Amino acid sequence: MHLADRLLRALTDPALTPPGEDPHPDLSQVSDEQLGSLLVAAYRSDDPATHEVARLRFEVRRAAAERQPRYTPEACRRMFDALVEECEKSGWADVTLGLDVLENCTGPLPDLSEPVRALVRFSLEKDTVRQPYALLAVATLAGEDTLRTAVERLSRDVGPIVADEIAVVAGLPPGGQTLLTGIDRRNRFASPHGHAWGRTAENPAYVAFTRRALEAAADRTDAIRAGEIPYRADKAFTDREVTSLGQALRVALLRDEPWLPELFDRLLPGIALAPTTARTLPSQALLYEVVRAAQDYPTPELVTAIRTVRRTVRHAGVPKQLDKMLKKADAALAERTDVALRLPRLGFDAVTTGGSPTGGSTTGGSATDGSAVGGVLRRPAGDYMAVVTVAETATLTWEKDGRPLRGVPAPVRRDHAALVKELRDLVKRVNAQLVTLARALEGGYTVDAAHPYGWWRSELAGHPLARSLVRRLIWEVEVAPGQWRAVLPETDEHLPDAPDDALVRLWHPLRSRPDDVRAWRDLLTERRIRQPFKQAFREIYLLTPAEQETRVYSNRFAAHLVHYRRMFALFRARGWKSALLGPWDAGDADDAERTLAAGEWRVRFFHTWADRAGEDELASTDQVRFDRRVDGAWREAPLTDVPALVFSEAMRDVDLFVGVTSIAADPDWTDGGPERHYWERAAFAELTACAEARRDALARILPRLKIADRCALEGRFLTVRGDLRTYRIHLGSANILMEPDDSYLCIVPARRPADRKVFLPFEDDRLSLILSKAFLLAADTEITDESILMQIKRGA
């Protein structure tokens, strides 16, 4: 008997299945059409099921998720009958399963009018109708009367905006209706897959609806403010309208519609401010839904509009909630590289000399110390002048008659308190935008982002807020087809001659020769230029022979023990998604994931909740895998197929997760058992690419230090000669061994390493910690901490 027949019998009549049937069958041996029949049987098989049947169902459903099943006309009919049975049994069935069957039927569709009428009737009898788009799509199979009944029921008591939406969906051809089911959310908190929004954004009828809906919403809030509609707190829109408006806004944001900024200026104050002095909102629900849309598809204009309205909301709890939500929107904006570079100027003027926004020296800072000024804003306050200056960060200072003052003058605090608060908020906002810009530029590596040279000169290199950041990065200009010239604007008086439509992109060491990389690192160190993110000293990760052998997964960062909550926080900070693990059902393992290359690639980092260590939680790390998007679905890809930049940038993140959170980097780890064995093995292990970059930076920094004659780089250690002993600081973990017996020295760092005014070409807490320990140990006779002295003198 063929495998497919045996599995079908096991699902439909398990009593006839012989014992010892393989619980993990190789479903690659069944055809797509056979898999479709198995999936229908898996859906219909009765509960409660034996363990073997339950396992087989799982295997069939997993195979169906990885492949696209096909369905015979008979299987189509059986699936719709199964949906009706499910409605009768549980009161609801997933209608989108039926749509998938219809899309992938291998022959003429059977007569489905009877089961479809039953499905529609069951659904419309409920107080809340789930999956309205899918229901409209299948209702057409039962005739005009059934479709008309569905439209009338779905448009009842939901508000005119939703009624318009239902009419649009009902008027679409079947294929268009099916595509829209991807964004058909059970509630406004659900988050459909990104490709579903992308398909919807290509539907002209729904795109037209999005503008009508959002403008109708703004018209309604205008009417409430004018007193034409009675004001009721949080009742400006029905619940379903809030959900529909959230969907419409996401589609418009994804398309980056040019009419949106003007609409934000009307809609957001309209939903956030009561027309009276009340502390309530016309629609708190829609305000939060707008911010959730900004978390999915942010634009600089929307984030700015939310921050503006946040300052005017009267409700005590709303600003705090908006602040939490805006953190996610800021992080998402940095990932959306196609719009994140569009910075508002906020009234700042560029500060330059020589008439060029990109070349030569700058007023207010030297071009050789990384302190060049990008923009300045001046605001009078009586006899005083407030000056907001943008260099590496934005700062607020005060002047009188052109002379700088130490702090805020007392008369200004007394008479211009609102202005002081406004400017302090502005400084925070500019600094947040600089962080977002840096993350967006860095995120452009995986899409190999390139920009027109003319636009880059005016909107990035010449932008008053972006200028100081952009000048400290290395760029490549395509001066001739396929010929790229690297330039660091901070040190180059003149940029390359190239037409406005030439391309410019960020330089990456993976595309450069080792000699060129060394030259850029030397230049940054000599000119004391701190880059906004690690670029010249950026780690690169190339495919190893072991990874070629394992083919579809990498074990490079497997088998580490990490502080789980710290790693989970890093996932969020770096734009990765992961479920929170813990000692509960299904909480033992997950794969953190991040999409790269404009959504074309996905990296997954597997990890497992391990144990508790006191109040701490530990996790163990596992494989890294990559998936490519094929026909709207993820398909696992061999590592050799992953683009080099995508692979390198993804592995760089994983190296960061492990390196920062590993218990091997915990200097006072004292627990025993297998954790201690891991700590002893990993705390002084071979250097990763991240630690190698740290070593390269130290090689350039050490000769400039006062303690240079006491330091030497030896393999994976920085050796420091003190007067009492000689110490070896591991460049990966920052843990310390003491000569001559390699005894361990525990130094628990302060919350932040001491600032010794040592220039670092990039931000690296571990590098700062290593230098801090080096300075301490080079003068070990001056150490006063008894716990450290006891360890040193014990073997001296």
Side-chain angles (χ1 to χ4, degrees), residues 747-781:
I747 299 179
V748 179
R751 187 171 297 272
R752 289 186 61 83
D755 182 7
R756 295 182 176 270
K757 304 300 181 184
V758 175
F759 165 75
L760 301 180
F762 54 86
E763 188 72 30
D764 185 336
D765 288 343
R766 192 67 54 81
L767 179 56
S768 298
L769 177 60
I770 290 170
L771 286 170
S772 180
K773 290 182 176 182
F775 275 100
L776 177 72
L777 297 172
D780 54 4
T781 55

Side-chain angles (χ1 to χ4, degrees), residues 263-484:
L263 181 128
F264 296 150
D265 292 341
R266 292 175 57 204
L267 180 62
L268 264 69
I271 59 179
L273 288 173
T276 65
T277 58
R279 296 181 179 274
T280 54
L281 289 75
S283 183
Q284 181 172 315
L286 183 55
L287 176 62
Y288 288 158
E289 177 66 3
V290 168
V291 186
R292 281 190 290 270
Q295 293 173 341
D296 290 337
Y297 297 105
T299 65
E301 294 81 9
L302 177 53
V303 172
T304 297
I306 295 169
R307 281 205 164 87
T308 300
V309 82
R310 176 244 180 264
R311 294 195 295 267
T312 61
V313 173
R314 304 187 194 107
H315 189 291
V318 170
K320 293 180 181 179
Q321 182 64 24
L322 290 180
D323 288 342
K324 293 179 183 178
M325 300 175 76
L326 276 168
K327 290 180 180 179
K328 293 183 179 180
D330 284 334
L333 180 58
E335 297 293 316
R336 198 178 179 197
T337 56
D338 54 333
V339 300
L341 306 185
R342 195 169 61 216
L343 288 181
R345 296 187 178 241
L346 302 177
F348 280 80
D349 296 319
V351 180
T352 64
T353 60
S356 170
T358 57
S361 63
T362 60
T363 301
S366 165
T368 63
D369 63 2
S371 60
V373 174
V376 65
L377 180 144
R378 298 177 179 273
R379 294 282 295 274
D383 296 333
Y384 301 88
M385 182 69 70
V387 183
V388 181
T389 306
V390 182
E392 287 194 15
T393 59
T395 55
L396 170 61
T397 57
W398 296 88
E399 297 177 353
K400 184 176 184 182
D401 299 329
R403 293 181 294 105
L405 305 175
R406 286 180 177 272
V408 184
V412 173
R413 285 199 303 268
R414 182 186 66 241
D415 302 330
H416 302 277
L419 176 63
V420 173
K421 183 179 185 305
E422 176 190 342
L423 292 176
R424 284 174 174 169
D425 288 343
L426 177 64
V427 167
K428 292 179 182 178
R429 180 174 161 194
V430 170
N431 285 331
Q433 288 183 347
L434 292 176
V435 171
T436 296
L437 175 62
R439 289 188 58 175
L441 289 171
E442 192 176 15
Y445 274 136
T446 64
V447 294
D448 210 7
H451 315 284
Y453 193 35
W455 177 89
W456 177 86
R457 286 197 304 262
S458 62
E459 298 304 319
L460 281 183
H463 194 288
L465 302 185
R467 180 178 184 276
S468 64
L469 185 153
V470 169
R471 285 176 57 84
R472 289 178 284 123
L473 291 169
I474 306 165
W475 297 85
E476 289 182 309
V477 183
E478 193 174 28
V479 294
Q483 181 181 343
W484 297 85

